[in-house]
Amino acid sequence: MSQVQARFFTENKKYLIDDVPFSIPAASEVADLSGVINKLLEAKNDGHKHVEFDFLVRGQFLRTSLASHMEKENISTEEVVEIEYVEKFTAPQPEECIMHDDWISSVEADSEWILTGSYDKTARIWSMEGKAVMTVAGHTDVVKDVAWVKRNGLSSLLLTASLDQTIMLWEWNSERNKVEARHCCRGHAGSVDTVAVDPTRTKFCSGSWDKMLKIWSAVPTVEEDEIEEPNRPRKKQKTEQMGLTRTPLMTFSGHNEAVSSVLWVDAEELCSASWDHTIRLWDAETGEQKSTLTGSKVFNSISYSPLCRRLASGSTDRHVRLWDPRSKDGSLVLLSLTSHNGWVTAVRWSPSHEHQLVSGSLDNVVKLWDTRSCKAPLYDLAAHEDKILCVDWTENGLILSGGADNKLYTYRYSTCVSDAGA
Amino acid sequence: VSDSNFSLLVFITFSVRSQDIRNTVGNIPMEWYKDYPHIGYDLEGKKIFKPIRNKDELDEFLDKMENPDYWRTVQDKMTGADIRLSDEQVDLVHRLQQGKFGDVNFNEYEPAIDFFSNEVMIHPVTNRPQDKRSFIPSLIEKEKVGKLVHAIKMGWIKPRRPKETTPQYYDLWAKEDPNSILGRHKMHVPAPKMKLPGHEESYNPPPEYLLSEEERLAWEQQDPEYRKLSFLPQKFACLRAVPAYSRFIHERFERCLDLYLCPRQRKMRVNVNPEDLIPKLPKPKDLQPFPTTQSLVYRGHSSLVRSISVSPSGQWLVSGSDDCTVRFWEVSTARCLKTVEVGGAVKGVAWNPNPSICLVAVSYDDTVVLLNPGLGDRLVCTATDQLISSYEEPEEVMDQSVQWAVAEGEGHEQGHRLILKHPKTVRQVTWHGKGDYLACVMPDNGSSLQVVIHQVSKRRTQNPFRKNKGLVQCVSFHPIRPYFFVATQRYVRVYNLIKQELTKKLMANCKWISSMAIHPGGDNVICGSYDCRLAWFDLDLSTKPYKVLRHHKKALRSVAYHRHYPLFASGSDDGSVIVCHGMVYNDLLQNPLIVPVKVLKGHTITHDLGVLDVTFHPTQPWVFSSGADGTVRLFT
């Protein structure tokens, strides 16, 4: 078998070629095919510039020669092979390296600002250029997770969860550059490891080492929630600077071990991952447990993509696993992405691309994955010198990762317009 | 018969009538008339006289010779007269003598008429009606049958012979003796054959078979055993010139020896695959989960880490090192959250197993410090502090060998809460499961004060043992029952704390016990020793080890059980941690299943020391090990 009949197609109007089958050598690889397409495009329109393409055969990226790929995927070589080509994803370009004083436990960026939580008990706000804007200090212990709530013109609301068993709701005015603690959410009996704000931006959920999930209101008020504490006068003084005490709206119990990660699937549905080897889905209104996905290892992190409706989980082994949260019996792994050498501590789906996700691991490498090529990641981002504890991916194409080497790396990742449209 | 009598009677009457003499005496014995001249009386009543018998023997003889009818003359006893038998009478006598009927005309073989045939005729032989008794059951028969039935019931007789159900075949080989000729023929080994003579044995061999001079010399020099040929090929001009073979007798004898000594039977060797002798153990793959890879390294200590302990929640890890510090780590990230300096090389650390108390016992030199690390739930931490500060001095102060002091000042800031000064160096600290009692080991060969048990809530110290039974290596509380395990160099003694007596003495069969761990179920104990052995005791089974594992190459330093999973681990000076599957069944009949599943390597060997302590995560199948290289490692 030396020649294969192939028909090339693409979704991208810019790179359309004639819909005729070609006979191409079976041993040709991605670069050869890319050359073929470029030749065809040059012949078609003169002003064509050389573009690197990537090829998909039946939804799987071509990584080896065409012949071996087809043999592995069990594709008949007798028929005409349909090969889709997309513009090759360019490698993420490193942008900034933001130094912290201590380990970075969490990161969340929106379109303008980067919020990081650190082991030096503070959260920090950075501009996209890596300039330190604000230090949010108030916790008495390590900040484990941070989250933006919403932006109202110049004032923003943000959340920090800490090992000191509290979550604090801060209001930050970017013009005056002042941060004010609005509420201190008390109620957990263990370190609060994760917070997630719901899509309506009025509530948030927290997961803690004490095995509980709690839902709190994210709307700042001027009144303090009623709490029954015998030694209240002593606390009063403390709460002046810590913000008004807030109590949870709801508490979900059901996990047998610490909750490590929580997220909102939509406005009514919550998803939490735990050290008890389960991912549980909850009804946020009633607090009922809807279904359970059971794994075999401790879950460190989960992420949900509304584009492909898949959950990605990172656990205390080397694999990133994809789950379907709607499956009822729920212990079926759709796909395992295996390339890391240590625990996967953080996973995050691309907000704009349904096939792409990043994962950070204890082996100091951030990997950028495409689910269509599950054997090998698209790119390894090996900038960190120590454990990676958090990753994030913003809507404007910025990948962020922070870890135990006190550095926050940002990468610019330009997803192709064509692909984003597809 | 009646016919013959009849004919005889006829004959007699006939004969008498012819003489016309009739004796009337009747049928009497005639000798009654022997002495009389007459013989009887005739019809007229006259005497019948005996005939004159004057014939002597000679006359008789002459008569016999001359009278042709002498042989047919008979004397009539009734009359005494001689009667000559007629021809008919003689013929009749002859017939009777032959056993025939007297009557010549009688046919004794007339055809028989079957009167009582089976044919039912219109006129039966007898027309009698059937008897009544033929209609009623016979009483005699009933009695007989009853007796038989009784005998059958009692089993005295069997109604019918029991059938032999098994088919009987003739077993052709049943009687065969395995040593008989037949048996031997099956395993026949043919007698060794003699080598046929070759050219060199010929009296006139081809010249190439003849030895040259050097070869001959070499042959003569050679030991007869090693000679290729046992003779020298020789050439003779003709067969007549061949002399007698001098070695003939010798060779015949050797041939006989060969035949005599040759094996006559094949030896049957049992082919045993050595792998079949290894007991079947489940594959480690089927025994998951167990730790397989190194995941995290907790770096920070500058000297060997002697002891580690995990908080009951599994969130924190405490390690004590020879660099005089105690470090608290976050398990999931290997972050050192707190470092507490103490005044000496830390020998032992132990986290209080009670989740509602946040205390860590740290031993260094002769001091045990109870630390409140301030990690975990704030409420628990403050409650612990309150518990310690709320202690009230009892009225009567007891004389104790250990001084209790409350930490103040800088020590209190660091987390020190209580300081216990012991008279000797404390090597090990261990908590009771409830978290109130704390046992300390002070190894000392000469004193009875080797083990002390502290009660933290009452700040009291007891010395449970009055006698020194040997150098105490480590102690442990039973997880459920009030037992106390004390490991000396060679024995583990189990004491009942309530009855205050020795319950059991376990013989470890090793030279020097280094460490000990109690199964959470409480019925199994593992002991590590400095002579590379790990002994598993089943307390219900025996005081000797149920199993001894010799997997480590160097001395064992530490052993540990997992609280939930059927796992135990041992750390050794060879730098490896060996994790074994140790399933204990609730069923008392089933022995524990012990399968080594993984050798975990990671620690570098420093000063000939490898792993110093191992401990399991309380909830996950993870094992921590601390080493002489100053690191703590987590294997998952």
Side-chain angles (χ1 to χ4, degrees), chain A residues 120-409:
Chain A
D120 62 359
K121 306 177 187 175
T122 63
R124 283 161 203 270
I125 302 169
W126 310 81
S127 72
M128 283 294 166
E129 291 76 39
K131 207 172 75 183
V133 178
M134 187 69 215
T135 303
V136 183
H139 279 293
T140 58
D141 216 326
V142 172
V143 174
K144 294 290 267 189
D145 201 6
V146 291
W148 291 106
V149 179
K150 63 176 169 187
R151 164 108 7 105
N152 237 343
L154 290 173
S155 79
S156 310
L157 282 174
L158 55 105
L159 283 169
T160 57
S162 163
L163 204 77
D164 64 6
Q165 308 176 7
T166 62
I167 307 142
M168 290 178 86
L169 180 66
W170 309 82
E171 187 169 3
W172 173 59
N173 191 312
S174 55
E175 190 187 29
R176 284 185 287 153
N177 200 12
K178 269 190 74 175
V179 69
E180 185 192 355
R182 294 298 299 267
H183 287 284
C184 181
C185 306
R186 296 170 188 279
H188 277 300
S191 74
V192 186
D193 290 335
T194 173
V195 287
V197 184
D198 86 323
T200 64
R201 303 277 150 188
T202 54
K203 284 186 288 186
F204 68 92
C205 179
S206 65
S208 160
W209 188 272
D210 65 4
K211 309 165 191 177
M212 299 293 176
L213 291 168
K214 286 180 195 282
I215 294 194
W216 318 72
S217 165
V219 181
T221 54
V222 288
E223 280 157 31
E224 187 171 0
D225 287 356
E226 284 299 318
I227 43 169
E228 298 84 31
E229 282 201 45
N231 45 1
R232 194 165 162 170
R234 209 171 55 126
K235 287 261 158 155
K236 185 87 180 175
Q237 208 177 18
K238 217 170 162 187
T239 52
E240 295 286 289
Q241 44 178 306
M242 298 280 283
L244 302 167
T245 301
R246 174 159 283 183
T247 52
L249 298 174
M250 279 172 101
T251 301
F252 300 168
S253 65
H255 279 297
N256 303 323
E257 293 276 336
V259 179
S260 58
S261 184
V262 67
L263 57 84
W264 294 81
V265 174
D266 53 41
E268 281 93 43
E269 201 173 18
L270 262 173
C271 181
S272 64
S274 161
W275 277 43
D276 63 2
H277 307 181
T278 60
I279 296 173
R280 289 171 202 242
L281 286 140
W282 310 79
D283 190 311
E285 298 293 324
T286 61
E288 264 176 45
Q289 191 176 314
K290 287 163 102 178
S291 63
T292 307
L293 308 169
T294 310
S296 60
K297 293 275 167 21
V298 165
F299 287 111
N300 282 323
S301 170
I302 48 171
S303 176
Y304 176 75
S305 167
L307 297 172
C308 65
R309 297 181 184 178
R310 293 277 181 275
L311 271 175
S313 72
S315 48
T316 58
D317 53 6
R318 304 178 297 120
H319 313 291
V320 176
R321 293 188 176 87
L322 301 188
W323 310 77
D324 187 353
R326 289 166 299 179
S327 68
K328 285 286 166 238
D329 51 344
S331 38
L332 196 71
V333 180
L334 296 174
L335 201 62
S336 294
L337 308 176
T338 308
S339 166
H340 279 297
N341 286 324
W343 291 5
V344 180
T345 49
V347 288
R348 192 58 62 100
W349 282 97
S350 162
S352 56
H353 196 291
E354 60 175 323
H355 292 305
Q356 291 177 346
L357 69 148
V358 282
S359 64
S361 159
L362 292 185
D363 60 1
N364 310 352
V365 184
V366 176
K367 290 186 193 251
L368 175 61
W369 298 89
D370 194 298
T371 54
R372 293 170 291 185
S373 119
C374 57
K375 295 283 184 296
L378 286 184
Y379 292 106
D380 285 2
L381 313 176
H384 283 283
E385 289 144 16
D386 208 339
K387 298 180 277 285
I388 289 154
L389 300 177
C390 54
V391 293
D392 196 17
W393 194 331
T394 68
E395 280 178 17
N396 50 9
L398 205 63
I399 297 171
L400 304 106
S401 66
D405 56 354
N406 306 351
K407 289 174 186 155
L408 180 79
Y409 284 96

Side-chain angles (χ1 to χ4, degrees), chain B residues 120 124 126-136:
Chain B
V120 179
T126 96
N127 211 3
R128 222 167 65 174
Q130 272 187 304
D131 289 325
K132 185 189 174 186
R133 65 171 179 272
S134 67
F135 295 103
I136 56 171

Side-chain angles (χ1 to χ4, degrees), chain A residues 102-103 119 140-142 144 163-165 189-191 209 257 275-277 298 316 343 362 387 389, chain B residues 295-297 313-316 330-335 337 376-378 565 617 619-620 622 634 636:
Chain A
D102 209 333
W103 292 14
Y119 272 76
T140 58
D141 216 326
V142 172
K144 294 290 267 189
L163 204 77
D164 64 6
Q165 308 176 7
S191 74
W209 188 272
E257 293 276 336
W275 277 43
D276 63 2
H277 307 181
V298 165
T316 58
W343 291 5
L362 292 185
K387 298 180 277 285
L389 300 177
Chain B
S295 295
L296 282 168
V297 184
S313 68
Q315 197 179 7
W316 314 108
E330 190 179 31
V331 166
S332 58
T333 57
R335 163 85 182 187
L337 285 163
D377 194 353
R378 293 294 135 103
Y565 290 95
H617 192 276
T619 56
Q620 305 293 339
W622 300 350
L634 167 63
T636 61

Side-chain angles (χ1 to χ4, degrees), chain B residues 23 25 30 33 37-41 48-50 77-80:
Chain B
N23 201 344
V25 288
M30 290 314 290
Y33 288 92
H38 61 278
I39 201 164
Y41 307 91
I48 305 170
F49 287 94
K50 288 179 185 174
K77 278 187 182 165
M78 294 300 275
T79 59

Side-chain angles (χ1 to χ4, degrees), chain B residues 2-41:
Chain B
S2 61
D3 280 341
S4 81
N5 279 344
F6 173 69
S7 66
L8 264 177
L9 268 177
V10 168
F11 155 70
I12 287 164
T13 47
F14 164 76
S15 65
V16 168
R17 209 174 277 160
S18 65
Q19 293 287 318
D20 201 35
I21 300 163
R22 196 165 296 179
N23 201 344
T24 56
V25 288
N27 193 14
I28 56 156
M30 290 314 290
E31 59 255 34
W32 290 352
Y33 288 92
K34 194 173 64 178
D35 300 332
Y36 294 99
H38 61 278
I39 201 164
Y41 307 91

Side-chain angles (χ1 to χ4, degrees), chain A residues 68-143:
Chain A
S68 62
H69 181 87
M70 284 168 71
E71 195 184 329
K72 207 162 63 186
E73 296 285 321
N74 219 352
I75 301 171
S76 160
T77 54
E78 305 291 315
E79 298 155 20
V80 176
V81 191
E82 301 273 332
I83 300 179
E84 182 179 3
Y85 59 97
V86 292
E87 205 174 328
K88 192 166 187 168
F89 304 116
T90 51
Q93 295 302 313
E95 286 214 323
E96 302 292 338
C97 172
I98 304 169
M99 286 299 295
H100 285 65
D101 296 340
D102 209 333
W103 292 14
I104 301 159
S105 61
S106 55
V107 60
E108 188 169 299
D110 63 0
S111 50
E112 281 176 80
W113 310 105
I114 302 167
L115 178 62
T116 58
S118 168
Y119 272 76
D120 62 359
K121 306 177 187 175
T122 63
R124 283 161 203 270
I125 302 169
W126 310 81
S127 72
M128 283 294 166
E129 291 76 39
K131 207 172 75 183
V133 178
M134 187 69 215
T135 303
V136 183
H139 279 293
T140 58
D141 216 326
V142 172
V143 174

